[in-house]
Amino acid sequence: MSWVDIGALADIPQQGARVVKTAAGCVAVFRTADDQVFAMDDRCPHKGGPLSEGIVHGASVTCPLHAWVFSLETGMAQGADSGQVATYPARIEGGRILLDATRLARRVAA
C-alpha cells in the first residue's frame, strides 16, 4: 500500500468527520469517540446525502437526510435498509491520518 498524509488526527473532532477531495469525488474521514479513523465515500447510496455531515455513534454514521445507518468498518447499511458505501483503509501514525493512496486512485467518481 502507498499511504498519503491527509492531516492531523486533532483536526477532526471526536465523533466528527472531515472531507478529503479527490479527482474522483469526495471521501469522508471519520473519527470515533475512541480515536479510531475510518474513510468512505461521502455519498449515501439512498439519496446522495453527505455522510460527512451525519451523526457518528460508535463505529457507525447516520446519514443526515433519511437516517440510514452505515457501518464505518464495512460501509454496509444496518437494519432494514440495504446498500453499501465504498470504504478505504485508514490508519493513524504519529498523530497523523494516513489513507491508502492506491485505493483512492482506483475509486470511481460518484
Side-chain angles (χ1 to χ4, degrees), residues 33-82:
D34 60 353
D35 293 333
Q36 294 183 70
V37 292
F38 298 94
M40 63 174 44
D41 285 343
D42 190 31
R43 191 171 194 277
C44 176
H46 176 224
K47 294 285 185 177
L51 294 175
S52 60
E53 295 177 19
I55 298 170
V56 177
H57 45 99
S60 301
V61 62
T62 299
C63 178
L65 293 186
H66 297 97
W68 279 32
V69 178
F70 295 91
S71 165
L72 293 173
E73 297 171 316
T74 66
M76 293 294 297
Q78 300 172 352
D81 302 318
S82 64

